[in-house]
Amino acid sequence: MAVPKRDASFNQLLEYSKKHLTDEESITTTYGTPVPEKDASLTVGYHGPVLLQDWFAIDQLAHFARERIPERVVHARGAGAFGYFEVTHDITQYTAACVFSEIGKKTPMAVRFSQVAGELGYPDTVRDIRGFALKFYTEDGIWDITGNNQPVFFVKDFVMFPNLIHVMKRNPKTHIRPDYDMFWDFLTLRQETTHTTLIFFSDRGIPESFRKMHGFGVNTYAFVNSEGKFNYCKFHWLSNQGIATLTSADAQRIGGIDPDYHIRDLYNAIHDGDYPSWNFYIQIMSPEQAAKSEFDPFDDTKVWPHGQYPLIPVGKLVLNRNPENYFAEVEQIGFDPAHLIPGIEPSPDRMLQGRLFAYGDTHRHRLGPNHIQLPVNCPFSIHNYERDGWGTIHSQGGAPNYHPNSFRGPENDKRARALTPHLPLNGVAKRIDSGNDDNFTQARVLYQRVLKPDERARLIQNIVTWLTPTTSILQERAIALFSNVDESFGKKIREGLNSLSLEQHVVL
């Protein structure tokens, strides 16, 4: 049996004790009063019953029973760290957002890495998409980007999102994950998933480290400059540590030995001063280009080709501080794509439109209506007309709680108004299923031109492994799906399934 390495993540308590050798602190209750005896309840004699007046013991049990909050339905498993974003290139021609106002400017930020489908206790090395969310603490408030380590997503309309997550979660009867029939049934019925499915089963489906993977905003946003002109944009942050991945076999082996492999790696790197960093880029598309584009620029299953829309360097993000307490600063952190600052706006991206509501609503459920007042989520200042509710921290004193008023309550911001674009809208309101758009061209480019022969071989093997447990009907649908990407692709998957089936038959 492998002996765990003694590193910073193991020795955290030892380090704490060394820093507090001279401290003499008394135990207190949750409300700050000193405790005479921590390890004994108040009883009538040695064997007598515990008295109800043992307020300290009751307070401990009451708090203990409430130590957990609902875990995130999506992105439950994760790690977090803190650092800064530094501007290295001028992009004020595109946006008046304060975070980009001048070269050299540094903005404090938080980052959370996560698994999309796995729950809180899952091993780090399971095949899954990784979340890669950024929080910027700007003078104009909080700006969040809720990104992933893949540039595209499985579905393009937010109404499909709960269905996607259901098939990636546990079967509601067996409580087993993954359920291969559910997974392949959905994917083969919604062919828009093809592009992301290829990336999901490629080498990048299992990163070797949170530090060694790229990040992508996935959604399309809009920039507005100081003159009120807007362009559409996408966000990218590319790892300066390079890209590293795990094979399926290594991932399973490591997951059995160290389920906290990624969390430990990030913690130790930052603790040892090996601060991970990423270079931040944008892509820009004008409204005129968007109107003439051969693909839907607001479709999350599509990338913007770099040849047409090159990466524009912006800055660098660096992580140089670990959380002081995981629950307070990682479990309670809440990212919300609706947290936009002046100069950055939404786009007609259907997934983004749904996420503008869903993320904040999730946090209100998990953390309460005042979750934004928690220190890790809180902007530098809050001036509004919302009051009270569970978890109120900043009451705003005696300021008026209604608008308009005559008593110096906060007013509309002229700068923010000037940076709000006036977008013409037209069309008939109806439900349009966009899932039948071109779902194979970009996936074909990925398979034929981007992936190397050895990467294609591992992609096929990974797909075959996940297809083998399912029914022959779903296998045939999957083969047909991947044959639309490349005929030989589907043929090799069939050969892999037949070969594996023959091997199992021989063993039997």
Side-chain angles (χ1 to χ4, degrees):
M1 180 177 177
V3 177
K5 177 185 176 183
R6 303 298 299 181
D7 55 32
S9 65
F10 279 103
N11 297 328
Q12 179 268 321
L13 290 175
L14 181 60
E15 291 191 2
Y16 175 86
S17 65
K18 290 179 179 178
K19 293 177 181 177
H20 296 80
L21 282 175
T22 59
D23 293 351
E24 294 184 3
E25 296 178 342
S26 296
I27 302 172
T28 69
T29 64
T30 55
Y31 40 95
T33 59
V35 173
E37 180 58 56
K38 168 71 172 68
D39 298 326
S41 56
L42 183 62
T43 61
V44 180
Y46 190 87
H47 292 119
V50 176
L51 296 179
L52 182 61
Q53 71 182 52
D54 189 353
W55 41 267
F56 176 60
I58 290 173
D59 184 59
Q60 285 187 88
L61 292 178
H63 187 280
F64 175 74
R66 294 162 176 80
E67 279 186 359
R68 294 294 174 263
I69 58 177
E71 71 175 40
R72 294 167 171 89
V73 176
V74 192
H75 297 276
R77 171 79 175 179
F82 299 85
Y84 63 88
F85 171 75
E86 181 177 4
V87 179
T88 57
H89 293 75
D90 183 6
I91 60 165
T92 54
Q93 61 178 308
Y94 301 117
T95 177
C98 62
V99 69
F100 305 120
S101 61
E102 59 180 327
I103 293 176
K105 181 173 184 175
K106 290 185 178 180
T107 299
M109 64 180 304
V111 170
R112 184 173 184 268
F113 306 93
S114 59
Q115 286 187 34
V116 169
E119 44 290 328
L120 194 58
Y122 244 68
D124 282 346
T125 56
V126 170
R127 183 174 297 278
D128 199 351
I129 295 175
R130 265 64 183 181
F132 198 149
L134 314 180
K135 182 181 292 291
F136 300 80
Y137 301 93
T138 86
E139 60 266 40
D140 274 346
I142 297 296
W143 174 37
D144 289 339
I145 306 178
T146 51
N148 290 329
N149 72 326
Q150 300 181 9
V152 291
F153 196 60
F154 285 103
V155 293
K156 60 182 74 175
D157 191 321
F158 76 89
V159 76
M160 295 302 301
F161 185 75
N163 300 289
L164 169 70
I165 297 304
H166 283 170
V167 303
M168 299 183 77
K169 290 282 191 180
R170 296 181 179 275
N171 180 294
K173 180 176 181 178
T174 66
H175 200 59
I176 293 173
R177 176 188 183 270
D179 185 298
Y180 298 99
D181 287 349
M182 289 168 49
F183 181 82
W184 287 110
D185 187 35
F186 179 83
L187 263 60
T188 55
L189 289 173
R190 296 296 301 191
Q191 296 187 348
E192 72 209 72
T193 62
T194 305
H195 193 183
T196 305
T197 299
L198 264 63
I199 301 176
F200 182 83
F201 284 108
S202 73
D203 290 348
R204 296 198 182 187
I206 311 179
E208 194 272 336
S209 164
F210 288 142
R211 298 178 295 119
K212 298 178 182 179
M213 65 183 192
H214 295 330
F216 306 90
V218 183
N219 295 128
T220 298
Y221 291 85
F223 271 164
V224 185
N225 69 12
S226 59
E227 298 174 355
K229 181 179 178 180
F230 83 96
N231 288 281
Y232 296 114
C233 66
K234 277 188 176 287
F235 301 114
H236 305 251
W237 43 104
L238 307 185
S239 172
N240 289 316
Q241 292 71 237
I243 293 293
T245 60
L246 295 173
T247 65
S248 295
D250 283 342
Q252 290 183 4
R253 176 182 57 81
I254 293 170
I257 298 171
D258 185 3
D260 300 320
Y261 182 72
H262 287 156
I263 300 174
R264 190 185 314 283
D265 172 82
L266 179 67
Y267 183 95
N268 287 336
I270 294 175
H271 176 275
D272 295 340
D274 183 15
Y275 302 139
S277 66
W278 289 259
N279 288 335
F280 193 89
Y281 299 85
I282 57 171
Q283 287 178 290
I284 293 293
M285 182 185 295
S286 70
E288 295 76 19
Q289 288 174 313
K292 298 177 181 178
S293 176
E294 69 274 14
F295 63 92
D296 181 359
F298 312 113
D299 177 353
D300 286 0
T301 70
K302 306 290 191 299
V303 297
W304 292 5
H306 292 184
Q308 295 175 259
Y309 306 98
L311 294 182
I312 300 171
V314 180
K316 182 178 182 179
L317 61 95
V318 178
L319 299 181
N320 59 9
R321 180 176 77 80
N322 281 314
E324 292 298 323
N325 177 272
Y326 183 92
F327 183 87
E329 296 185 291
V330 181
E331 190 63 16
Q332 287 194 137
I333 197 169
F335 297 86
D336 187 344
H339 291 166
L340 300 168
I341 57 177
I344 306 173
E345 295 286 329
S347 81
D349 181 328
R350 287 195 191 187
M351 277 296 294
L352 176 60
Q353 291 286 318
R355 297 173 91 202
L356 294 176
F357 163 77
Y359 277 63
D361 193 51
T362 297
H363 302 322
R364 284 186 285 273
H365 165 65
R366 292 185 65 244
L367 304 170
N370 290 303
H371 64 276
I372 198 66
Q373 296 184 22
L374 294 169
V376 73
N377 296 321
C378 195
F380 293 126
S381 61
I382 301 176
H383 306 286
N384 58 28
Y385 293 92
E386 281 70 60
R387 291 295 189 279
D388 305 338
W390 170 28
T392 296
I393 299 173
H394 303 293
S395 65
Q396 303 188 56
N401 66 347
Y402 63 95
H403 187 272
N405 64 82
S406 305
F407 302 100
R408 300 191 62 78
E411 296 294 343
N412 296 320
D413 189 276
K414 295 180 180 179
R415 174 172 167 267
R417 180 186 296 174
L419 295 178
T420 303
H422 301 277
L423 303 176
L425 300 175
N426 61 79
V428 178
K430 59 179 180 179
R431 301 183 187 277
I432 304 172
D433 188 344
S434 60
N436 295 319
D437 294 347
D438 178 9
N439 294 315
F440 301 111
T441 297
Q442 290 198 356
R444 188 173 299 119
V445 170
L446 173 63
Y447 181 79
Q448 295 178 345
R449 302 181 191 177
V450 178
L451 297 179
K452 299 175 183 177
D454 61 318
E455 293 174 324
R456 288 198 293 268
R458 289 191 292 272
L459 166 67
I460 292 166
Q461 182 57 52
N462 292 333
I463 291 175
V464 167
T465 300
W466 276 51
L467 267 176
T468 299
T470 194
T471 67
S472 59
I473 294 175
L474 297 180
Q475 289 177 354
E476 290 298 324
R477 285 211 323 238
I479 290 170
L481 177 73
F482 294 122
S483 295
N484 287 325
V485 176
D486 184 285
E487 188 173 346
S488 66
F489 187 16
K491 181 180 179 181
K492 290 178 180 178
I493 291 175
R494 182 184 298 280
E495 291 172 351
L497 287 169
N498 290 339
S499 175
L500 199 56
S501 177
L502 180 60
E503 289 177 10
Q504 290 175 342
H505 180 74
V506 170
V507 170
L508 291 173

